[in-house]
Amino acid sequence: MDLRQTECFVAVAEARSFTRAADRLFAVQSTVSAAIKGLEAEIGTPLFERSTKHVRLTSAGEAFLPAARGLMLSHTKVEVVTADLSTGPRASLSVRRIDG
């Protein structure tokens, strides 16, 4: 499982559409579909029920969604920390109020 597959899964789950998820990810629909198929093959179970008009999460997809969102959030936090580290040491500033 890779981060892109997880990102595609969350996007499809939230958009309830492979096409809208692809638009959101600035990708083509076939790339999103391939990522989901790969993820489902790796996990060993379908994550979506697909029809020509609807995309719905399976019970496995419902169970996986919170963990996938958590993974995406953790990745974002890592990116922020990495960006902070690359800017070098920080100084702190204290401000005290002086009455009188």
Side-chain angles (χ1 to χ4, degrees):
M1 172 182 347
D2 66 33
L3 193 59
R4 184 66 174 166
Q5 289 173 318
T6 305
E7 182 179 36
C8 288
F9 168 75
V10 171
V12 173
E14 291 176 353
R16 302 282 194 228
S17 162
F18 281 80
T19 302
R20 286 192 303 270
D23 290 345
R24 175 178 155 184
L25 297 169
F26 303 103
V28 293
Q29 187 269 334
S30 59
T31 299
V32 173
S33 292
I36 298 300
K37 284 183 183 182
L39 181 59
E40 289 174 327
E42 192 170 335
I43 291 172
T45 190
L47 298 170
F48 294 100
E49 294 175 5
R50 301 161 175 87
S51 74
T52 56
K53 296 184 180 187
H54 301 286
V55 175
R56 294 186 188 120
L57 287 166
T58 62
S59 57
E62 291 282 352
F64 184 66
L65 184 57
R69 284 182 172 144
L71 177 61
M72 298 304 299
L73 180 60
S74 293
H75 180 261
T76 300
K77 289 178 181 178
V78 166
E79 286 180 328
V80 168
V81 168
T82 302
D84 288 348
L85 292 174
S86 68
T87 61
R90 294 182 187 206
S92 61
L93 174 66
S94 297
V95 177
R96 283 193 266 166
R97 182 177 170 187
I98 300 174
D99 293 321

